[in-house]
Amino acid sequence: MSSITDYALPNPVNQNRSGIIGRAVDRYEGPLKVSGTAPYAAEVKTPSPPAYGVFVGAEIGCGWVRAVDDVAAKAAPGVKLVWHVFDQPPGQGEAGAKSYVQGQAVADPVFVNPKVRFFGQPVALVVADTFENATAAAGMVRVSYEEDPEAEYEFQPADAAPAENDQDSAVGEFELAFAEAPIQLDEVYETPIQNHCQMEPCATTAWWEEGTVQVNTSVQMIKGPQHLVAETLQIHRENVHLMSLYVGGGFGGKGSSYEDLASAALASRVLRQPVKIVLTRQQMFNATVHRPATVQRVRLGATPDGRLTALSLMVATHCARNAPFIERAAAFSRALYAAPNRLTGHRLQLLDIAVASAMRAPGEASGMMSLEAAMDELADRLGLDPIELRIRNEPDKHPESGQPYSARQLIECMQDGAAKFGWNKRNPKPGQTRDGRWMVGMGMAAAIRGNFLLPAKASLKVDAEGNIRLRQGMTDIGTGSYTILAQIAAETMGVPLEKVIVEIGDSGFAPAPGSGGQFGAASAGSGALAGGMALRAKLTEMAIADPASPLYGAAPEAVEFRDGLITVENRSETLAALVTRLSPEGIEAEGSSSPAPDIRQFASYSHGAQFAEVGVDTITGEVRLRRMLGVFACGRILNAKTAKSQITGGMIWGVGTALTEINRVDPRYGSLGSQDLGTYFPPVHADIANLDAYFLP
Amino acid sequence: MRSFTYERAPDAAGAAKTAAEHPGARFLAGGTNLLDLMKLEIERPRHLIDVGRLPLAEIAETADGGLRIGAVVTNTAAASDRRVRTRYPVLAQALLSGASAQLRNKATVGGNLMQRTRCPYFYDAAKPCNKREPGAGCSALGGLNRGHAILGASEACVATNPSDMAVALSALEAQVETVTATGATRSLALDEVHRLPGETPHVETNLEIGELVTAIVLPPPPEGRQEYRKVRDRASYAGGLFSLALAGERMAMGAVALKPWRASKAEAARAAGASPAEAAEAELAEARGLGRNDFKITLARRVMAAALEGTPLR
């Protein structure tokens, strides 16, 4: 692709002749999932009975493992091995070593360092014949620690400092403009630590076949974990066959992998037996990652008629001492509203608690709360409708880079949604609308999220029955990747959906970036289209060159694919006939897509508006959602059903983020206060009343 | 999970006898609390006595116009029983505000009474807890204790009892029938079943070793309004921050102490002509916050006063 504008050129997905692109097609893998037969990483059938690994978690927040008494554990029934820093797994690469220069991971050996960096960090592994025996023996491992008196567990925003690789963004003279602004708003907002709460915990099943380790794991991306296993086990990456066929929720938390991955492969290598390791729910909270807390200062300067003259969002947040990560809660604000003088940035405190990382719209989920609440405060001060205030500050180009927007339907989202939600019934004066003992209020917020396109490949193969098989190293974390890829393959090859087989989540397949931060469908889908176009070109070339084909001698640009046929005007044959005659074992082609070189010349974002009606119990203070509507403009919708599920799921997580989900560090131990779903509260059905969403064309 | 032996009890008296003979034995019915704790090795029973199939699953009328609910009646069955719903709505509401539908389908009313605290420090074996290990200390006292007790707590333990059902039973003045290890039967007032922590928070009830709950007996329903209101951080499937059971002139509070807290001081104040606010104040005069849970005292006052003023709370 030479230019971003090429996306508008005719191609099968754009033309969508059969209408299958965008249709509310049921999930490709739905029957497997609802019948419990989709094999998740811990459920795959192993070639021989597996052993089960269970981790022992650190019982201090920061310090060193000084001794491990594993005598009782080793003598416990069924125990096959116990590993810890004094009895390490053999054959691991040096931490951080990288033999494959272009690889996406470094060696990450397990149990080689006595350092305890966070509470719950795996400090020992017990593998036994049954999960129960492994769990019982893990409870018998006695670990002695030396605590680090220098440990810091408590987030102190004042101690947060500028981070490497993260510059403040300054335009104009913010401080001056804010000081001179006729209307000034200066507010501080806080967000707590929150956890991903994937339904499926992280899990790995590994076994060896003729020098190759077969690894089934639950991750959002394929290549990084594959390379991690290779580097850690010091084997060639071709000898790591990594599969992540079904993923029971990622939300950013499976963008990284954890000790289960290498440990299962290592233990399987030593034991010459399949090994299965599943993190416990408590370990999912303690020993994976979380969204860090933030303290955000928003300053808005405005004219009395509601034009922003100064905008600042400064965010203090935290991450683990040895795992740099910035919850970039200010980044989106650089693209949302016009204001000539701007200052945004992040400050970071390094803590000795579990690793902070991406979670459910990293950055936006935390940061939009503060800026959008501040915009509402400002609207109230100005006596303006919150939507009108936002419209008055709509930029005509990216307010910091000056780039044109590739698309921008924010105002349309707000106005369309307002009409459907009944926004005009809102009483702008707080506390006026009552329903029995409930106070009822309406609110809205803008939504924005960057668009990230990454290179992707896909291979498509047509067999002698005319079936199309798509293979791609993509993942489906519950979003609908299987389904949209089937739709793209069907439309591109001109076959009905029933003729398409989608195989993804396998390191042996043409690579795609996986699932995460708004790049999955666009990147993998573009790769699938490219793969289909490559196969069309190959089939066209073969048909027009074959005297036995009715298309013999036709001009390639006149060839079309529809109804399972390859056709030119009134001449055609079935794909099955073509393949049967010329290459009965099937015909395969691989295509690749890359972002156009000029993609960075555009500011490219999805936009939306969300409206909520919320009740507050005037006796108890309980806050409950009463109804909610989201309107989104996200470009082409590939599947109305899976896209709506995803966006309403995102809204529900938003309700959790705003109302129910909170975790806290106990500063005496460095541990999280909530370690299970009995004390950490994602929203449940009863919290989600009357929630709906739609997309603008 | 540690290995254990298992037997299915032949009858209630036999179960009690066996339990007394096996140190570290536990009764198993629905298992919705015990099995969780066993997986975490907070509970490490060496022997399980399955009482779930004993013939204690009936809800029957009593001679005086009350109901006897067998100990292994599930929470769902009790909450959906027409007699319970019409005559003891506070109990049906309390049952339905607990756990989730799936758990209520398995959990039994006897087990509901015997469930253990949900204090996160009790659930985390890496932290000191006097319930798990007497003398180890209480980590909740100086910790994240937003959900903890405001009444009847001690330096040794600030946990709360998680049962909603028991709060309603307290307001209804239910009796709990048991069989002891000797085969004797006895009846305790609901308020006598659970203990405040004192110096021995690991001793949670006044039941003897081996004593098995066989039934909950409800006296005839009181005159007047019945209502159960649970205040919580999400609308369902969450432990209470505070709850109030109202049964005629009687009230009990939940999530404030290690036992269901019968509001007898407020009842007495009310009977003596106190205003709703004064009655609530009388009950909560001795309430003590731990810092993070101070809000519960205000919350309790407000909900109780509103209830006494006749405000519908649900």
Side-chain angles (χ1 to χ4, degrees):
Chain A
M1 196 151 293
S2 57
S3 167
I4 191 169
T5 56
D6 292 351
Y7 287 99
L9 294 178
N11 68 42
V13 169
N14 280 344
Q15 291 167 320
N16 194 18
R17 287 182 178 154
S18 76
I20 200 166
I21 303 295
R23 194 182 295 163
V25 173
D26 286 349
R27 279 176 200 272
Y28 177 88
E29 80 290 14
L32 289 179
K33 283 185 175 170
V34 299
S35 61
T37 50
Y40 288 80
E43 300 170 330
V44 294
K45 199 168 159 49
T46 52
S48 57
Y52 295 81
V54 170
F55 289 119
V56 178
E59 298 197 334
I60 62 165
C62 183
W64 298 268
V65 173
R66 289 305 186 213
V68 178
D69 176 358
D70 61 9
V71 174
K74 279 184 168 160
V79 171
K80 292 167 178 284
L81 66 78
V82 180
W83 278 338
H84 45 77
V85 70
F86 303 112
D87 192 351
Q88 299 181 8
Q92 298 195 86
E94 288 278 329
K98 190 173 181 181
S99 59
Y100 175 37
V101 179
Q102 294 177 316
Q104 295 184 16
V106 297
D108 190 14
V110 290
F111 311 121
V112 293
N113 193 330
K115 180 75 188 180
V116 172
R117 301 195 192 283
F118 57 86
F119 183 95
Q121 172 189 318
V123 292
L125 171 72
V126 176
V127 182
D129 57 346
T130 66
F131 172 70
E132 289 75 14
N133 277 339
T135 303
M140 297 173 196
V141 176
R142 293 282 160 262
V143 183
S144 306
Y145 303 95
E146 178 188 342
E147 291 198 55
D148 185 343
E150 309 282 305
E152 289 180 85
Y153 300 134
E154 203 161 9
F155 178 36
Q156 305 282 2
D159 293 345
E164 276 181 56
N165 308 322
D166 187 74
Q167 304 294 319
D168 289 350
S169 183
V171 174
E173 293 287 346
F174 170 78
E175 297 292 351
L176 192 64
F178 182 69
E180 290 175 351
I183 312 288
Q184 295 171 353
L185 189 95
D186 188 347
E187 298 282 348
V188 174
Y189 302 87
E190 298 180 18
T191 64
I193 287 178
Q194 296 179 323
N195 294 88
H196 298 76
C197 300
Q198 306 95 332
M199 209 185 310
E200 180 208 19
C202 295
T204 302
T205 303
W207 67 89
W208 291 73
E209 281 174 12
E210 294 166 5
T212 293
V213 62
Q214 309 288 332
V215 183
N216 286 270
T217 191
S218 184
V219 289
Q220 292 175 221
M221 296 88 174
I222 300 291
K223 278 289 162 197
Q226 181 203 15
H227 294 172
L228 183 147
V229 172
E231 298 284 356
T232 304
L233 272 69
Q234 298 191 286
I235 56 178
H236 196 275
R237 60 191 178 282
E238 297 299 324
N239 292 330
V240 180
H241 183 201
L242 188 131
M243 287 153 284
S244 191
L245 303 185
Y246 302 100
V247 180
F251 311 118
K254 292 175 185 171
S256 30
S257 58
Y258 306 94
E259 283 84 348
D260 56 297
L261 179 63
S263 298
L266 287 161
S268 172
R269 179 161 72 179
V270 167
L271 296 174
R272 299 177 178 277
Q273 176 185 13
V275 171
K276 193 173 279 195
I277 303 177
V278 183
L279 297 194
T280 63
R281 183 56 64 186
Q282 288 73 18
Q283 288 165 346
M284 289 301 293
F285 278 85
N286 276 322
T288 69
V289 293
H290 58 260
R291 172 190 287 153
T294 68
V295 174
Q296 306 176 38
R297 184 182 185 194
V298 182
R299 285 176 290 169
L300 299 176
T303 61
D305 67 345
R307 315 278 165 187
L308 290 174
T309 56
L311 182 157
S312 175
L313 170 53
M314 293 302 294
V315 177
T317 183
H318 59 84
C319 72
R321 193 172 302 283
N322 286 75
F325 171 81
I326 301 169
E327 174 73 10
R328 301 184 76 243
F332 77 93
S333 70
R334 295 163 188 162
L336 191 53
Y337 299 122
N341 302 287
R342 319 168 65 92
L343 176 63
T344 51
H346 309 95
R347 300 291 180 268
L348 191 61
Q349 187 190 14
L350 304 180
L351 293 179
D352 300 293
I353 63 168
V355 174
S357 188
M359 175 172 137
R360 308 184 212 143
E364 282 84 350
S366 308
M368 298 222 49
M369 183 279 296
S370 67
L371 181 61
E372 288 299 279
M375 287 294 279
D376 290 345
E377 297 276 344
L378 181 62
D380 187 55
R381 289 265 294 275
L382 295 166
L384 271 181
D385 183 90
I387 294 176
E388 178 57 28
L389 175 65
R390 286 164 172 86
I391 291 172
R392 289 188 188 180
N393 292 285
E394 172 72 2
D396 57 4
K397 57 184 188 299
H398 190 288
E400 304 208 354
S401 72
Q403 292 170 329
Y405 288 102
S406 61
R408 174 110 177 163
Q409 291 170 277
L410 176 58
I411 292 178
E412 211 180 331
C413 288
M414 292 192 292
Q415 291 180 332
D416 210 77
K420 291 198 170 53
F421 193 72
W423 181 252
N424 60 354
K425 296 190 185 73
R426 171 179 180 266
N427 185 334
K429 200 170 167 199
Q432 301 303 300
T433 308
R434 302 285 291 235
D435 176 8
R437 61 171 205 279
W438 293 88
M439 272 185 191
V440 182
M442 275 189 208
M444 61 80 58
I448 185 170
R449 175 78 185 166
N451 173 35
F452 311 99
L453 194 67
L454 298 170
K457 295 181 177 177
S459 76
L460 277 81
K461 182 175 184 177
V462 53
D463 68 16
E465 279 84 50
N467 297 308
I468 304 295
R469 189 198 65 198
L470 179 147
R471 283 183 161 175
Q472 189 178 44
M474 178 58 184
T475 54
D476 189 327
I477 60 173
T479 44
S481 306
Y482 276 102
T483 317
I484 58 144
L485 292 171
Q487 289 170 277
I488 291 168
E491 182 58 44
T492 306
M493 297 312 300
V495 300
L497 207 52
E498 307 77 64
K499 299 287 273 183
V500 178
I501 300 151
V502 178
E503 295 179 347
I504 59 173
D506 189 314
S507 62
F509 297 162
S515 303
Q518 197 90 333
F519 53 72
S523 305
S526 298
L529 171 61
M533 295 310 287
L535 182 57
R536 283 166 60 125
K538 192 166 181 177
L539 295 172
T540 298
E541 190 180 325
M542 290 169 79
I544 62 180
D546 178 14
S549 171
L551 280 69
Y552 179 63
E557 58 276 12
V559 174
E560 291 182 5
F561 291 76
R562 56 175 165 78
D563 305 327
L565 303 172
I566 178 168
T567 173
V568 172
E569 292 163 2
N570 58 355
R571 291 183 284 157
S572 67
E573 66 175 320
T574 63
L575 295 179
L578 177 73
V579 173
T580 303
R581 189 174 65 251
L582 294 178
S583 184
E585 69 283 8
I587 299 168
E588 185 165 17
E590 183 175 290
S592 69
S593 65
S594 301
D598 59 354
I599 192 166
R600 290 179 190 281
Q601 295 172 21
F602 291 85
S604 187
Y605 297 87
S606 298
H607 298 93
Q610 299 190 48
F611 298 82
E613 184 180 292
V614 171
V616 178
D617 187 314
T618 51
I619 296 169
T620 66
E622 289 162 300
V623 183
R624 298 286 188 256
L625 181 72
R626 295 162 75 97
R627 62 192 183 98
M628 193 169 177
L629 177 69
V631 187
F632 301 93
C634 303
R636 176 188 290 120
I637 298 304
L638 294 165
N639 181 320
K641 188 176 192 174
T642 58
K644 184 172 173 179
S645 288
Q646 209 183 338
I647 206 82
T648 50
M651 290 167 66
I652 292 166
W653 279 134
V655 174
T657 297
L659 295 183
T660 62
E661 295 182 65
I662 181 164
N663 216 333
R664 296 177 179 85
V665 171
D666 186 327
R668 300 168 303 169
Y669 306 106
S671 60
L672 291 172
S674 293
Q675 303 178 15
D676 58 41
L677 295 170
T679 49
Y680 183 93
F681 298 142
V684 294
H685 284 90
D687 295 296
I688 304 301
N690 195 1
L691 181 143
D692 201 6
Y694 63 93
F695 297 97
L696 292 182
Chain B
M1 191 185 287
R2 300 297 174 96
S3 293
F4 56 88
T5 51
Y6 168 92
E7 72 170 84
R8 204 171 281 170
D11 52 55
K17 184 165 180 287
T18 309
E21 286 165 358
H22 286 74
R26 287 281 185 273
F27 297 122
L28 173 71
T32 56
N33 186 217
L34 179 63
L35 296 186
D36 277 359
L37 292 168
M38 286 171 66
K39 289 172 189 171
L40 294 168
E41 300 196 353
I42 306 297
E43 289 272 12
R44 297 177 177 186
R46 278 170 258 170
H47 187 62
L48 287 185
I49 303 160
D50 190 342
V51 297
R53 294 164 207 241
L54 293 179
L56 303 171
E58 296 292 316
I59 302 177
E61 299 280 349
T62 60
D64 66 353
L67 285 180
R68 172 180 282 103
I69 303 174
V72 303
V73 169
T74 65
N75 287 8
T76 297
S80 54
D81 184 272
R82 187 182 46 79
R83 295 161 293 182
V84 173
R85 292 169 68 93
T86 54
R87 285 151 60 184
Y88 305 96
V90 65
L91 176 58
Q93 291 169 9
L95 282 163
L96 291 175
S97 71
S100 67
Q102 293 89 336
L103 289 167
R104 293 192 297 268
N105 288 344
K106 286 298 288 180
T108 63
V109 297
N112 190 319
L113 279 184
M114 303 305 293
Q115 66 180 306
R116 307 196 68 185
T117 183
R118 299 298 195 276
C119 172
Y121 295 99
F122 172 70
Y123 268 72
D124 183 350
K127 313 281 165 60
C129 171
N130 288 321
K131 270 186 177 298
R132 272 190 279 107
E133 196 185 336
C138 171
S139 3
L141 194 58
L144 302 173
N145 47 33
R146 176 170 174 267
H148 287 71
I150 53 172
L151 286 165
S154 70
E155 290 285 307
C157 181
V158 295
T160 60
N161 184 304
S163 174
D164 291 295
M165 179 192 78
V167 182
L169 293 180
S170 174
L172 289 167
E173 296 192 326
Q175 294 286 122
V176 176
E177 291 185 350
T178 67
V179 57
T180 68
T182 62
T185 58
R186 65 169 181 154
S187 182
L188 298 80
L190 186 282
D191 289 335
E192 293 168 15
V193 172
H194 299 96
R195 295 164 59 102
L196 289 174
E199 297 298 305
T200 55
H202 60 292
V203 184
E204 296 179 347
T205 70
N206 288 315
L207 301 187
E208 298 166 7
I209 290 171
E211 189 169 5
L212 174 68
V213 174
T214 53
I216 291 164
V217 180
L218 302 175
E223 291 288 318
R225 176 181 166 202
Q226 291 186 31
E227 191 168 344
Y228 188 74
R229 177 62 159 96
K230 182 177 184 180
V231 181
R232 46 183 158 179
D233 285 329
R234 68 179 172 190
S236 177
Y237 194 27
L241 294 166
F242 172 75
S243 68
L244 183 75
L246 192 66
E249 305 298 314
R250 301 192 295 263
M251 289 185 295
M253 300 189 291
V256 294
L258 198 47
K259 60 182 289 184
W261 193 271
R262 177 73 184 276
S264 42
K265 288 178 185 160
E267 290 171 19
R270 199 65 180 141
S275 73
E278 288 164 350
E281 183 52 44
E283 191 61 57
L284 290 153
E286 288 172 22
R288 293 288 174 271
L290 301 163
R292 292 173 183 270
N293 67 347
D294 295 353
F295 76 99
K296 279 187 166 189
I297 301 171
T298 311
L299 180 61
R301 273 201 201 101
R302 290 174 64 91
V303 176
M304 186 179 285
L308 291 172
E309 280 159 11
T311 309
L313 300 176
R314 289 168 64 83

